[in-house]
Amino acid sequence: MAKIVWTEEYSVGVAALDAQHRQWIGMINELHETLLGGRARELDEVTTRMLVGMAAYARGHFEAEEEHMAAIGFAGREGHILLHREFSARVDRLCREAAAGELILNTELMKTLMRWLQDHILQEDRKYADRY
């Protein structure tokens, strides 16, 4: 499983949102590197810290993205917001599990996080980006 590399394919044509997407990719890549690094003692701490950071980051990013969609009159905004809420709920659940020592970071979890981010940007976010 390779880390995510930013390419222009991920661009939604809005510099602030692209910068946020790059930052999010960096967070997932850092978590991935920790997992692959085999640093078992750090893994639980880093997993919890990164998931909590991801949850907070997602809230701010989703808010900015939703404001942008409203400003451009994107017709698919409500459905897109629902996807954001579902992902936020999933990450919040992972945060609780990690804090309780119930979550084990593994390649399946990393694939899920990476796939969601890539699919969301390349499929869902492209829908509002294609309005330009």
Side-chain angles (χ1 to χ4, degrees), residues 108-125:
E108 283 307 308
L109 176 58
M110 283 308 308
K111 283 181 190 176
T112 299
L113 290 172
M114 291 173 131
R115 192 175 316 116
W116 189 91
L117 178 64
Q118 289 173 310
D119 290 350
H120 188 78
I121 294 171
L122 294 174
Q123 294 173 22
E124 299 302 324
D125 289 354

Side-chain angles (χ1 to χ4, degrees), residues 22-35 39 42-59 87 90-92 94-96 98-99 103 105 109-110 113 117:
R22 281 189 192 100
Q23 185 176 354
W24 199 332
I25 287 170
M27 294 171 85
I28 288 181
N29 285 339
E30 182 180 341
L31 193 55
H32 181 245
E33 288 171 16
T34 301
L35 173 65
R39 299 184 310 256
E42 295 176 45
L43 195 55
D44 287 342
E45 176 189 329
V46 171
T47 299
T48 301
R49 180 175 49 81
M50 289 302 294
L51 286 171
V52 167
M54 233 183 262
Y57 183 79
R59 283 188 292 277
F87 181 76
R90 182 184 308 170
V91 173
D92 287 345
L94 291 173
C95 288
R96 287 190 303 275
L103 178 71
L105 181 65
L109 176 58
M110 283 308 308
L113 290 172
L117 178 64

Side-chain angles (χ1 to χ4, degrees), residues 5 13 21-22 34 37 40 43 50 61-62 72 78 82 98 111:
V5 176
H21 286 153
R22 281 189 192 100
T34 301
L43 195 55
M50 289 302 294
H61 171 70
F62 291 160
I72 65 170
E78 292 305 317
L82 180 60
K111 283 181 190 176

